[in-house]
Structures are given as C-alpha cells and as structure tokens.
Amino acid sequence: MLDSYAIFQQTQRQRVSDGAMLPILQDCEKASSLLVLVWPQLGDFDSLEYAWWLEKEKEVLESKNIAVRAVGIGDRASGQQFCNYTGFSAQHLFVDRDASLHRQLQLYPGLTLALPVGFNLLLMCAGIGSPGTLREVLRGYKGDRAAPQLIGDNEVVRTAPLPPLSGSVFRFAGGKGFQRPFELATLRLRNMTEVLSHWSTYVPDMAYITQRGGTFWFDAGGKLLYEHRDRGILGFAANMSRPLAFLETL
C-alpha cells in the first residue's frame, strides 16, 4: 500500500518565498492536522480555483489549526506569479519542475496519446480522458443551489474582455445566497485571462500540462484522514460545490 505521508516526509522542494530547498512538511509540528495539496501546473484551472477556495475558507482552516502545504508544477517564477494573483502563502508553496512527486504518488498523468501534449490537453478539455469536465463546465454557467454564493454583492470582478462587474449583477440571474448562473464561469474566465496574460511564466514547460493532482489530509500523527486523486480537469474535489467540505469531519 502506498504510504503517501512517508513520501511527503522524505520530499524536499524549492520554496517559493525564498528559493530554498526544504522539506515540504517543515514547521507543521504544532498543527492539529495537515492538508497537503499536490497541484497540477500552477497555471492550471484546478490549481487557481483550489487556491481561491482556500482563501475563501481561510478562517475555517485557521480555527481548526490545519496546516496547509502545496506543491505545484512549475518554477519559482511560476510560484511567485501564482501567489501574487491568488493570495496563497509563498511560504507554504513549493514547486516541482518535472512532476516527479506526482509520479511518486501515482497521480493520474492525464491523457497520454501519441500526440503533441497540447492536443492531449484540448481533448481533455473536451472530456476525453477527463471524466466530469464537461459537466463541471456546464455547472459554472447554469449555477448550483448546493454551492455557496461566490461573489459578494459589493465585490467588483474585473475580467477582460468584459467590463468590471459588480457582484450585485448576479442577483438578476437568480437571486442570492447560492452560486448563481454565470457566477463561477466569470471567476474561471478571470483565471483564464490571468494565465493567458502570463503564459510563459505559469507554464515554463508544456511537457506536464496534462498531469493531474491530489488532496491528502493527515492527522497530527501522520494517519491519512482523507484523500482525493483527481481524474480530470476541474475534478480537484469529490464535491465541487463545496470542495473543502471533507474538513467538516474533524
């Protein structure tokens, strides 16, 4: 049986904040539990959206004394851009240039047909070798009453090429207090605009663009409490309406 905690204990990667090679589990000893996120490319939809949820649930994570560490595919420049955009702590983000940690953990490499990697990515975006992707894209447009409201009424979303949008606009698409139609799609468009504007920074090497990630949650003693292994694009959680709902079991 794969011992993911032992793999993390033995893993050193470059920390984004200072470029130092350090154990990724450093300084987690006083936490009540440990959430380790192994992200795909830092310019991937999943990585950016996951970081957004972590920021949204920041108070919950702090109140439960959960230490969060993340490893994403890229280099230090990718990590710096990612943290500047998402607000994720550069102190807690590490980079993996060649997805070697992902291979150690036996995470899904994505579609690997004998085609240029960019074509494999496009096929995955179309749902081939990426179960659930099209359903999740549709959910972003049609809304989801099982998900919380994502954009505050007084929040302004700036997403080129659209004009700045006030969060109150989404009330006209269905109300408030839940994920309204087009609300999630707007946030995803903002992420896409960010990545395309800084593509060479976010994706220094296209070779690993299809690689998927995983979520691993351990108690203070290293016992695995929960894991999720991504099987497709926009499939970074078992419950995409509330990706961090599993933490409520603590």
Side-chain angles (χ1 to χ4, degrees), residues 24 35-39 54 68-72 88 92-95:
I24 64 174
L35 182 60
V36 185
L37 310 170
V38 183
W39 283 330
L54 290 169
V68 179
R69 297 294 183 270
V71 182
F88 189 82
H92 300 152
L93 178 63
F94 297 79
V95 289

Side-chain angles (χ1 to χ4, degrees), residues 3-247:
D3 187 342
S4 53
Y5 188 76
I7 291 173
F8 290 131
Q9 279 187 311
Q10 298 162 11
T11 297
Q12 293 191 17
R13 288 294 182 274
Q14 185 181 33
R15 185 168 63 182
V16 168
S17 60
D18 55 10
M21 287 294 294
L22 295 170
I24 64 174
L25 299 189
Q26 180 170 285
D27 301 327
C28 295
E29 297 83 5
K30 295 181 180 180
S32 62
S33 64
L34 172 62
L35 182 60
V36 185
L37 310 170
V38 183
W39 283 330
Q41 201 88 43
L42 287 172
D44 192 284
F45 287 145
D46 294 35
S47 305
L48 295 164
E49 195 166 316
Y50 210 140
W52 184 91
W53 276 102
L54 290 169
E55 184 66 22
K56 183 177 177 62
E57 301 294 340
K58 187 175 183 178
E59 291 185 6
V60 173
L61 292 164
E62 290 177 351
S63 68
K64 292 178 177 287
N65 191 26
I66 300 174
V68 179
R69 297 294 183 270
V71 182
I73 301 171
D75 56 21
R76 192 180 176 203
S78 307
Q80 290 172 332
Q81 184 69 37
F82 181 90
C83 292
N84 289 340
Y85 175 67
T86 64
F88 189 82
S89 170
Q91 190 78 2
H92 300 152
L93 178 63
F94 297 79
V95 289
D96 188 338
R97 294 172 180 266
D98 60 2
S100 57
L101 178 59
H102 301 67
R103 290 191 293 276
Q104 277 185 278
L105 293 166
Q106 300 173 16
L107 296 173
Y108 179 45
L111 200 62
T112 55
L113 299 178
L115 296 168
V117 67
F119 284 100
N120 280 324
L121 178 65
L122 290 174
L123 290 172
M124 289 182 70
C125 290
I128 299 171
S130 185
T133 296
L134 294 182
R135 180 176 65 250
E136 181 57 26
V137 169
L138 180 61
R139 189 179 71 88
Y141 287 99
K142 73 175 186 176
D144 181 356
R145 287 187 173 272
Q149 181 173 321
L150 305 181
I151 302 173
D153 291 345
N154 297 322
E155 185 178 348
V156 176
V157 181
R158 291 177 172 83
T159 304
L162 300 177
L165 292 174
S166 169
S168 60
V169 168
F170 293 96
R171 288 186 298 176
F172 298 109
K176 61 185 300 182
F178 62 94
Q179 180 191 308
R180 287 77 57 87
F182 299 101
E183 192 175 12
L184 180 55
T186 300
L187 295 178
R188 287 173 174 169
L189 176 60
R190 181 172 67 181
N191 289 343
M192 183 174 70
T193 301
E194 162 69 12
V195 172
L196 293 179
S197 299
H198 305 281
W199 178 258
S200 60
T201 301
Y202 275 114
V203 187
D205 189 344
M206 281 279 288
Y208 313 104
I209 197 71
T210 62
Q211 176 69 56
R212 297 297 90 201
T215 295
F216 302 85
W217 186 32
F218 304 96
D219 69 11
K223 178 184 176 182
L224 183 64
L225 300 174
Y226 173 87
E227 75 170 24
H228 176 79
R229 294 169 175 269
D230 309 351
R231 296 303 303 168
I233 295 172
L234 296 178
F236 60 83
N239 180 359
M240 288 297 290
S241 298
R242 299 177 63 236
L244 297 175
F246 63 89
L247 296 176

